[in-house]
């Protein structure tokens, strides 16, 4: 009983070089008709333009890996920043509306004049 693997065979190729027999390229029979591949849009491969440019200019695989990893990360971070800024803008608009409403209702004639002045300064700042 022999439990050792069989030794790999070495063959000589027509060009004179040697290689292992298990590493020879597989011979494929030519097909008579062209092969038609039906591919839906959700099965399409991702766009690799950035990777092709990086590899074509000789920058290397590190740049490709960084683009693949940090690209979506950057999009996510910018989306989070935009959402925070939108929330802050909404909060500022609601608070200023609340201040104007309170000043109008509590202040009497002086409050109405102050609210009118505050509304004018807001409108003039929007026009700039």
């Amino acid at each position: 009983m022999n439990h050792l693997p069989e030794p790999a065979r070495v063959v000589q190729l027509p060009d004179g070089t040697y290689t292992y027999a298990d590493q020879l390229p597989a011979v494929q029979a030519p097909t008579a008709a062209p092969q038609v591949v039906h591919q839906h849009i959700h099965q399409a491969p991702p766009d690799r333009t950035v990777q092709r440019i990086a590899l074509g200019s000789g920058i290397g695989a590190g740049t490709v890996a960084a683009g693949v990893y940090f690209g979506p990360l950057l999009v996510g971070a910018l989306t989070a920043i935009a959402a925070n800024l939108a929330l802050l803008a909404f909060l500022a608009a609601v608070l200023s509306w609340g201040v104007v409403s309170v000043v109008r209702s509590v202040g009497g004639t002086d409050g109405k004049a102050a609210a009118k002045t505050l509304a004018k300064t807001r409108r003039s700042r929007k026009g700039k």
Side-chain angles (χ1 to χ4, degrees), residues 26-115:
V27 178
Q28 295 181 352
T31 57
Q35 182 180 5
V36 177
V37 177
H38 296 282
Q39 196 169 36
H40 298 286
I41 190 68
H42 64 275
Q43 295 172 336
D47 185 20
R48 304 255 185 237
T49 307
V50 174
Q51 290 87 335
R52 286 189 187 119
I53 291 171
L55 289 175
S57 60
I59 316 175
T63 304
V64 173
V68 168
Y69 181 75
F70 289 114
L73 199 65
L74 179 64
V75 170
L78 291 176
T79 304
I81 291 170
N84 287 338
L85 289 177
L87 182 66
L88 286 175
F90 177 73
L91 190 62
V94 168
L95 288 176
S96 64
W97 172 78
V99 167
V100 168
S101 298
V102 168
V103 169
R104 277 188 184 158
S105 64
V106 172
T109 58
D110 291 338
K112 288 183 182 177

